[in-house]
Amino acid sequence: MSIHVHPNILEIMAKVKSLFNVEGTLGEVTFYKDQDGYKIRTKNGVSKERIMNDPAYARTRENLAEFANAATSGKMLRRSIVSLMNDAKDNRVSSRLMQVMSRVKNEDLISARGERNVATGILTTLGMAWLRGFNFNRKAILDSVLQASYVLNPATGEVVIDDLVPIQQLDIPEGATHVTLSSGFLNLDFNTGVKDLQGSNLVNLPIDATISTVNLTPVGVPVGVGQNFYFLKVAFFQQVNAVQYPLNNGAFNALQIIEVV
């Protein structure tokens, strides 16, 4: 069995804040945050060279390799949906998603220890289940924000919300006058990083008692041999003098993975 760990993985992990902004202990390695950002250190002063070469630390190297895969996979997903997520996320979405990706990786029952990966784990029923329902903004959970039923067509990515009454079926933040609903259909290959995101039309509605049927249809079906992800987004706006402004920079916007196949 070979464990593929970059020889400079400790420096890489210490420097890349956007990828490993977590705190805690993994084997002999501790992740922490100081005034310069997120860093790592080894317990009991164990050198990087020893961790990377000493047979006694084989399990630590295995853990590091799998940790890196989960973090990289989370980054792939986040970067694939930047256009959806940029105004619908919380400040811990990276670490929360990485934790879920680690659970997906654990569903890989084929690869050797230290080589388990998200690309294999996501092919399983449980692997897909871990990501289904993930909310990118923990302060705006979709099932609480949108209190209406919707139907997804997995073949086209179309989402239909019948008879939506905004004033009754939305958890409306103070100051919101309008809401925009949209969806996304993504194919992402965790092996190669190849991605294709197809966004839907935007349906903008005043927050009142008008009944509307919302049809959100992606412009096309994404191309690829990876996993299919379906997203539903609710964004709030405040209208002032006929101009709609994002409400509180998107703090109340919801974005969820509603299905994975």
Side-chain angles (χ1 to χ4, degrees):
M1 178 182 69
S2 60
I3 306 301
H4 304 290
V5 181
H6 192 285
N8 293 321
I9 192 171
L10 297 187
E11 283 94 343
I12 293 172
M13 294 169 71
K15 294 177 181 177
V16 186
K17 175 181 177 181
S18 64
L19 192 57
F20 298 100
N21 50 342
V22 295
E23 299 181 58
T25 299
L26 179 67
E28 297 296 323
V29 180
T30 298
F31 301 83
Y32 67 101
K33 181 181 180 181
D34 67 9
Q35 61 183 4
D36 297 317
Y38 291 87
K39 297 182 179 180
I40 68 171
R41 59 177 170 236
T42 56
K43 295 168 62 178
N44 303 322
V46 180
S47 69
K48 178 198 72 174
E49 288 73 18
R50 184 178 178 190
I51 287 178
M52 301 310 297
N53 297 289
D54 190 333
Y57 289 93
R59 187 60 188 276
T60 298
R61 291 193 293 275
E62 293 168 356
N63 289 338
L64 287 172
E66 293 187 353
F67 179 94
N69 177 266
T72 300
S73 298
K75 183 178 180 180
M76 281 185 192
L77 180 56
R78 287 186 288 107
R79 288 192 169 183
S80 297
I81 59 166
V82 168
S83 59
L84 286 172
M85 194 186 72
N86 63 350
D87 62 346
K89 61 183 179 180
D90 61 58
N91 59 3
R92 294 184 59 84
V93 65
S94 299
S95 57
R96 290 194 301 108
L97 184 56
M98 193 202 71
Q99 291 173 357
V100 174
M101 287 298 187
S102 184
R103 297 185 183 109
V104 175
K105 172 264 301 176
N106 290 342
E107 302 303 333
D108 175 1
L109 305 179
I110 300 172
S111 304
R113 192 175 70 186
E115 297 178 355
R116 294 180 300 170
N117 60 86
V118 169
T120 302
I122 194 66
L123 299 176
T124 68
T125 300
L126 289 176
M128 288 184 279
W130 281 118
L131 279 165
R132 191 177 294 121
F134 181 84
N135 285 279
F136 291 83
N137 185 0
R138 60 179 177 168
K139 299 176 182 178
I141 305 302
L142 180 66
D143 292 344
S144 296
V145 172
L146 177 63
Q147 299 159 14
S149 298
Y150 54 84
V151 177
L152 167 70
N153 181 342
T156 64
E158 180 186 27
V159 176
V160 178
I161 308 172
D162 284 322
D163 300 329
L164 176 66
V165 184
I167 197 70
Q168 295 177 359
Q169 296 174 300
L170 293 172
D171 185 9
I172 306 162
E174 184 178 357
T177 62
H178 289 73
V179 64
T180 293
L181 298 106
S182 59
S183 67
F185 187 179
L186 169 72
N187 184 276
L188 172 61
D189 188 335
F190 286 107
N191 277 314
T192 64
V194 175
K195 60 186 181 295
D196 184 7
L197 174 66
Q198 298 291 328
S200 77
N201 54 306
L202 305 179
V203 175
N204 181 261
L205 301 171
I207 299 176
D208 58 20
T210 302
I211 301 174
S212 303
T213 293
V214 177
N215 290 277
L216 306 171
T217 306
V219 295
V221 175
V223 177
V225 297
Q227 215 69 30
N228 285 334
F229 293 85
Y230 304 84
F231 303 85
L232 182 55
K233 180 177 179 179
V234 179
F236 292 99
F237 296 83
Q238 183 178 74
Q239 182 167 297
V240 179
N241 296 330
V243 177
Q244 291 186 29
Y245 299 91
L247 187 67
N248 201 16
N249 296 318
F252 303 104
N253 294 348
L255 175 64
Q256 185 187 90
I257 300 174
I258 59 174
E259 185 59 277
V260 186
V261 298

